[in-house]
Short mmCIF file of all heavy atoms in Angstrom, two decimals:
data_model
loop_
_atom_site.label_atom_id
_atom_site.label_comp_id
_atom_site.label_asym_id
_atom_site.label_seq_id
_atom_site.Cartn_x
_atom_site.Cartn_y
_atom_site.Cartn_z
N GLU A 1473 -5.78 -1.65 11.67
CA GLU A 1473 -4.67 -2.50 11.24
C GLU A 1473 -4.14 -1.99 9.90
O GLU A 1473 -4.91 -1.79 8.96
CB GLU A 1473 -5.13 -3.95 11.10
CG GLU A 1473 -5.70 -4.55 12.38
CD GLU A 1473 -4.65 -4.64 13.48
OE1 GLU A 1473 -3.46 -4.86 13.14
OE2 GLU A 1473 -5.00 -4.49 14.65
N LEU A 1474 -2.83 -1.80 9.82
CA LEU A 1474 -2.23 -1.21 8.62
C LEU A 1474 -1.43 -2.23 7.83
O LEU A 1474 -0.84 -3.16 8.40
CB LEU A 1474 -1.31 -0.04 9.01
CG LEU A 1474 -1.96 1.10 9.82
CD1 LEU A 1474 -0.93 2.19 10.09
CD2 LEU A 1474 -3.18 1.68 9.10
N THR A 1475 -1.43 -2.04 6.52
CA THR A 1475 -0.63 -2.86 5.61
C THR A 1475 0.48 -1.98 5.03
O THR A 1475 0.25 -0.82 4.70
CB THR A 1475 -1.51 -3.40 4.46
OG1 THR A 1475 -2.50 -4.26 5.01
CG2 THR A 1475 -0.66 -4.18 3.47
N SER A 1476 1.67 -2.54 4.94
CA SER A 1476 2.81 -1.79 4.39
C SER A 1476 2.95 -2.07 2.90
O SER A 1476 2.68 -3.17 2.42
CB SER A 1476 4.11 -2.19 5.11
OG SER A 1476 4.04 -1.86 6.48
N TRP A 1477 3.38 -1.05 2.17
CA TRP A 1477 3.62 -1.19 0.74
C TRP A 1477 4.96 -0.57 0.40
O TRP A 1477 5.26 0.56 0.78
CB TRP A 1477 2.51 -0.49 -0.07
CG TRP A 1477 2.81 -0.43 -1.54
CD1 TRP A 1477 3.31 0.63 -2.24
CD2 TRP A 1477 2.66 -1.50 -2.47
NE1 TRP A 1477 3.46 0.30 -3.56
CE2 TRP A 1477 3.08 -1.01 -3.74
CE3 TRP A 1477 2.22 -2.82 -2.38
CZ2 TRP A 1477 3.06 -1.80 -4.88
CZ3 TRP A 1477 2.20 -3.60 -3.53
CH2 TRP A 1477 2.61 -3.09 -4.75
N GLU A 1478 5.80 -1.33 -0.31
CA GLU A 1478 7.09 -0.84 -0.79
C GLU A 1478 7.03 -0.78 -2.30
O GLU A 1478 6.84 -1.80 -2.96
CB GLU A 1478 8.22 -1.77 -0.32
CG GLU A 1478 9.60 -1.28 -0.74
CD GLU A 1478 10.72 -2.13 -0.16
OE1 GLU A 1478 10.48 -2.83 0.84
OE2 GLU A 1478 11.83 -2.09 -0.73
N ASP A 1479 7.15 0.41 -2.82
CA ASP A 1479 6.96 0.60 -4.26
C ASP A 1479 8.30 0.62 -5.00
O ASP A 1479 9.27 1.20 -4.51
CB ASP A 1479 6.23 1.93 -4.51
CG ASP A 1479 5.62 1.97 -5.90
OD1 ASP A 1479 4.46 1.54 -6.05
OD2 ASP A 1479 6.32 2.42 -6.84
N PRO A 1480 8.35 -0.01 -6.16
CA PRO A 1480 9.60 -0.01 -6.93
C PRO A 1480 10.04 1.38 -7.38
O PRO A 1480 11.20 1.56 -7.77
CB PRO A 1480 9.27 -0.91 -8.13
CG PRO A 1480 7.78 -0.95 -8.21
CD PRO A 1480 7.31 -0.83 -6.80
N ALA A 1481 9.12 2.35 -7.34
CA ALA A 1481 9.50 3.72 -7.72
C ALA A 1481 10.42 4.35 -6.68
O ALA A 1481 11.03 5.38 -6.95
CB ALA A 1481 8.25 4.58 -7.90
N GLY A 1482 10.49 3.77 -5.47
CA GLY A 1482 11.43 4.28 -4.47
C GLY A 1482 10.81 4.88 -3.24
O GLY A 1482 11.36 5.81 -2.66
N PHE A 1483 9.65 4.37 -2.80
CA PHE A 1483 9.04 4.88 -1.57
C PHE A 1483 8.27 3.76 -0.87
O PHE A 1483 7.97 2.71 -1.47
CB PHE A 1483 8.09 6.04 -1.87
CG PHE A 1483 6.88 5.67 -2.70
CD1 PHE A 1483 5.70 5.28 -2.08
CD2 PHE A 1483 6.92 5.71 -4.08
CE1 PHE A 1483 4.58 4.92 -2.83
CE2 PHE A 1483 5.81 5.37 -4.84
CZ PHE A 1483 4.64 4.98 -4.21
N THR A 1484 7.97 4.00 0.38
CA THR A 1484 7.15 3.07 1.16
C THR A 1484 6.00 3.85 1.79
O THR A 1484 6.10 5.06 1.99
CB THR A 1484 7.96 2.36 2.26
OG1 THR A 1484 8.47 3.37 3.16
CG2 THR A 1484 9.12 1.57 1.67
N LEU A 1485 4.94 3.13 2.11
CA LEU A 1485 3.82 3.76 2.82
C LEU A 1485 3.03 2.67 3.54
O LEU A 1485 3.28 1.48 3.36
CB LEU A 1485 2.92 4.55 1.85
CG LEU A 1485 2.32 3.84 0.63
CD1 LEU A 1485 1.13 2.95 0.98
CD2 LEU A 1485 1.87 4.87 -0.40
N GLN A 1486 2.06 3.10 4.33
CA GLN A 1486 1.14 2.20 5.01
C GLN A 1486 -0.28 2.67 4.78
O GLN A 1486 -0.53 3.87 4.62
CB GLN A 1486 1.44 2.13 6.51
CG GLN A 1486 2.74 1.42 6.85
CD GLN A 1486 2.96 1.32 8.36
OE1 GLN A 1486 2.92 2.32 9.06
NE2 GLN A 1486 3.17 0.12 8.84
N TYR A 1487 -1.21 1.70 4.79
CA TYR A 1487 -2.62 2.05 4.57
C TYR A 1487 -3.50 1.06 5.33
O TYR A 1487 -3.08 -0.07 5.61
CB TYR A 1487 -2.95 2.04 3.08
CG TYR A 1487 -2.78 0.70 2.39
CD1 TYR A 1487 -3.86 -0.19 2.25
CD2 TYR A 1487 -1.55 0.30 1.87
CE1 TYR A 1487 -3.72 -1.40 1.62
CE2 TYR A 1487 -1.39 -0.93 1.24
CZ TYR A 1487 -2.48 -1.77 1.11
OH TYR A 1487 -2.33 -2.99 0.48
N PRO A 1488 -4.74 1.44 5.68
CA PRO A 1488 -5.64 0.55 6.41
C PRO A 1488 -5.94 -0.74 5.62
O PRO A 1488 -6.10 -0.71 4.41
CB PRO A 1488 -6.91 1.38 6.59
CG PRO A 1488 -6.42 2.80 6.57
CD PRO A 1488 -5.30 2.80 5.57
N GLN A 1489 -6.02 -1.86 6.34
CA GLN A 1489 -6.19 -3.16 5.70
C GLN A 1489 -7.50 -3.31 4.95
O GLN A 1489 -7.60 -4.13 4.04
CB GLN A 1489 -6.07 -4.28 6.75
CG GLN A 1489 -4.65 -4.57 7.19
CD GLN A 1489 -4.58 -5.76 8.11
OE1 GLN A 1489 -5.60 -6.34 8.49
NE2 GLN A 1489 -3.38 -6.14 8.51
N ASN A 1490 -8.54 -2.56 5.34
CA ASN A 1490 -9.83 -2.75 4.68
C ASN A 1490 -9.99 -1.92 3.41
O ASN A 1490 -11.10 -1.73 2.92
CB ASN A 1490 -10.99 -2.47 5.64
CG ASN A 1490 -10.97 -1.05 6.20
OD1 ASN A 1490 -9.94 -0.37 6.15
ND2 ASN A 1490 -12.09 -0.60 6.73
N LEU A 1491 -8.87 -1.43 2.88
CA LEU A 1491 -8.89 -0.74 1.59
C LEU A 1491 -8.47 -1.68 0.48
O LEU A 1491 -7.78 -2.67 0.71
CB LEU A 1491 -7.95 0.46 1.60
CG LEU A 1491 -8.25 1.59 2.58
CD1 LEU A 1491 -7.24 2.72 2.37
CD2 LEU A 1491 -9.67 2.11 2.43
N THR A 1492 -8.89 -1.36 -0.74
CA THR A 1492 -8.47 -2.10 -1.92
C THR A 1492 -7.41 -1.29 -2.65
O THR A 1492 -7.60 -0.09 -2.88
CB THR A 1492 -9.66 -2.36 -2.86
OG1 THR A 1492 -10.64 -3.15 -2.16
CG2 THR A 1492 -9.22 -3.12 -4.10
N LEU A 1493 -6.30 -1.93 -2.99
CA LEU A 1493 -5.21 -1.25 -3.69
C LEU A 1493 -5.18 -1.68 -5.15
O LEU A 1493 -5.07 -2.86 -5.46
CB LEU A 1493 -3.87 -1.58 -3.03
CG LEU A 1493 -2.60 -1.15 -3.79
CD1 LEU A 1493 -2.59 0.35 -4.03
CD2 LEU A 1493 -1.36 -1.59 -3.04
N ASN A 1494 -5.29 -0.70 -6.04
CA ASN A 1494 -5.14 -0.93 -7.48
C ASN A 1494 -3.82 -0.28 -7.90
O ASN A 1494 -3.67 0.93 -7.84
CB ASN A 1494 -6.31 -0.31 -8.24
CG ASN A 1494 -6.25 -0.60 -9.74
OD1 ASN A 1494 -5.23 -1.06 -10.26
ND2 ASN A 1494 -7.33 -0.33 -10.44
N LYS A 1495 -2.87 -1.10 -8.35
CA LYS A 1495 -1.54 -0.60 -8.70
C LYS A 1495 -1.49 -0.01 -10.12
O LYS A 1495 -0.47 0.54 -10.52
CB LYS A 1495 -0.51 -1.73 -8.55
CG LYS A 1495 -0.41 -2.26 -7.13
CD LYS A 1495 0.66 -3.33 -7.00
CE LYS A 1495 0.23 -4.66 -7.60
NZ LYS A 1495 -0.88 -5.29 -6.86
N HIS A 1496 -2.56 -0.13 -10.86
CA HIS A 1496 -2.66 0.41 -12.23
C HIS A 1496 -1.42 0.07 -13.05
O HIS A 1496 -0.73 0.95 -13.59
CB HIS A 1496 -2.88 1.92 -12.20
CG HIS A 1496 -4.28 2.31 -11.83
ND1 HIS A 1496 -5.34 2.21 -12.70
CD2 HIS A 1496 -4.80 2.77 -10.65
CE1 HIS A 1496 -6.45 2.61 -12.11
NE2 HIS A 1496 -6.16 2.95 -10.86
#
C-alpha cells in the first residue's frame, strides 16, 4: 500500500505506508 506525497518544492512521489517520513 502506497502513500502519496506532494512537496511544496514542486514534485510528487509515492512510498510504502509502513515507512516513517521525516520532512526535516
Side-chain angles (χ1 to χ4, degrees):
E1473 302 296 327
L1474 303 182
T1475 297
S1476 297
W1477 172 260
E1478 182 174 339
D1479 198 89
F1483 65 91
T1484 61
L1485 56 76
Q1486 290 183 306
Y1487 62 94
Q1489 284 185 356
N1490 59 342
L1491 297 183
T1492 299
L1493 170 59
N1494 184 347
K1495 298 183 285 293
H1496 284 284

